[in-house]
Amino acid sequence: MAGTLLEIQGMKRYYEMVSGTVKALDGVDISISEGERIILLGPSGSGKTTLLNCVAALDSPTAGDYSFEGAAVPRDAPEQMTTFRRDNIGYVFQFFNLLQDLTVLENILLIQELSGGRDEKRARELLALVGLEAEVDRFPTEISGGQQQRVAIARSLAKSPKLLLGDELTGNLDSKTSAMVMEVLVKACEAEGITTIFVTHDESLTQYATRVIRLDSGKILSDENV
Ligand SMILES: Nc1ncnc2c1ncn2[C@@H]1O[C@H](COP(=O)(O)OP(=O)(O)O)[C@@H](O)[C@H]1O
Ligand SMILES: [Mg+2]
């Protein structure tokens, strides 16, 4: 049986505003095992990004406990949070944030250099995994949006994260391109043994999940294996 990767208990994230308290997360419990492919669904403002940012140690919850591989996730401590994130977490965003002056291959090599070591063979393998072997020497402006997102995916896999997070990662793509990106992503994460949590408001992405968690007003509405 796969081990528990992430354990979240009673997670709250409140914002104190002049107008009152905003309860972005209001008591969330989730236990995630290695190898799960989770889609976190919810309307705009339901707390999806807040939850993902806490899991990534980009933000700290107001209350609750959470652990990763049995150890507490660091919070309210920027340096430890950065180290935790660097060692464990990959993140794919809606906007691809590729460096425009670097080729596809160079975008991957740069991330490798920043996170341990350049390895061109592995960089080319990752680009092949997302179907971009023919585009390695092109610049981001010379490939399509779907291809750019696949570069961003290869980049997020370059440091072999244990957990890959995506926030509306197909939000900028048409439905056909998003399907292609999701298929490539699922295949790549299975090949690399990476657990995933993807946040979206797009119901059609649930077909790529092993588990669908629905969030509304900072609370879990449902949590089902599919
Ligand atoms: N920095 C912030 N300050 C105040 N309120 C915030 C902040 N970030 C998010 N919120 C509020 O928290 C709630 C959840 O936001 P968010 O997690 O971004 O939702 P989602 O990603 O599901 O659209 C919303 O009501 C939002 O306005
Ligand atoms: Mg969001």
Side-chain angles (χ1 to χ4, degrees):
M1 213 184 95
T4 301
L5 187 65
L6 180 69
E7 184 85 51
I8 300 174
Q9 285 169 331
M11 185 181 278
K12 295 182 179 175
R13 177 64 168 103
Y14 289 1
Y15 293 102
E16 300 303 335
M17 311 296 284
V18 182
S19 52
T21 303
V22 176
K23 299 179 175 179
L25 293 176
D26 198 16
V28 167
D29 303 304
I30 306 175
S31 176
I32 295 174
S33 299
E34 284 167 14
E36 285 195 284
R37 214 159 54 233
I38 294 174
I39 296 278
L40 186 64
L41 263 182
S44 178
S46 57
K48 305 182 298 296
T49 295
T50 305
L51 180 56
L52 219 56
N53 287 345
C54 287
V55 168
L58 283 165
D59 189 12
S60 301
T62 318
D65 291 307
Y66 62 136
S67 60
F68 188 88
E69 293 187 316
V73 176
R75 55 214 273 183
D76 302 309
E79 280 176 32
Q80 286 167 271
M81 288 162 76
T82 301
T83 304
F84 168 80
R85 199 163 54 243
R86 191 191 59 211
D87 292 347
N88 300 295
I89 307 291
Y91 215 123
V92 192
F93 299 93
Q94 177 174 0
F95 300 101
F96 324 128
N97 300 317
L98 299 177
L99 292 173
Q100 303 295 318
D101 297 338
L102 299 182
T103 65
V104 165
L105 179 63
E106 287 165 350
N107 264 278
I108 309 294
L109 295 174
L110 175 68
I111 286 299
Q112 289 179 329
E113 278 162 19
L114 295 175
S115 65
R118 184 184 163 106
D119 180 347
E120 186 172 331
K121 185 166 168 278
R122 165 93 175 139
R124 287 182 183 275
E125 270 168 24
L126 286 167
L127 288 167
L129 197 60
V130 297
L132 291 175
E133 51 273 88
E135 283 79 17
V136 289
D137 294 323
R138 297 216 199 147
F139 289 91
T141 50
E142 298 170 344
I143 58 177
S144 69
Q147 289 173 326
Q148 289 183 52
Q149 188 58 302
R150 285 189 270 152
V151 179
I153 289 165
R155 184 181 55 182
S156 72
L157 299 177
K159 64 174 190 177
S160 299
K162 291 172 189 151
L163 179 62
L164 181 68
L165 307 176
D167 196 352
E168 306 281 3
L169 68 105
T170 59
N172 232 10
L173 306 172
D174 62 59
S175 58
K176 205 171 147 199
T177 309
S178 18
M180 192 192 292
V181 165
M182 287 304 294
E183 272 156 32
V184 162
L185 187 54
V186 165
K187 197 180 86 196
C189 289
E190 280 185 341
E192 299 275 313
I194 296 172
T195 308
T196 58
I197 309 176
F198 299 141
V199 156
T200 183
H201 60 271
D202 181 355
E203 286 277 342
S204 74
L205 296 191
T206 57
Q207 64 182 295
Y208 302 102
T210 59
R211 178 174 167 192
V212 176
I213 301 175
R214 288 172 197 273
L215 204 64
D216 198 9
S217 305
K219 293 189 160 90
I220 291 179
L221 275 188
S222 66
D223 182 348
E224 289 171 335
N225 292 313
V226 291

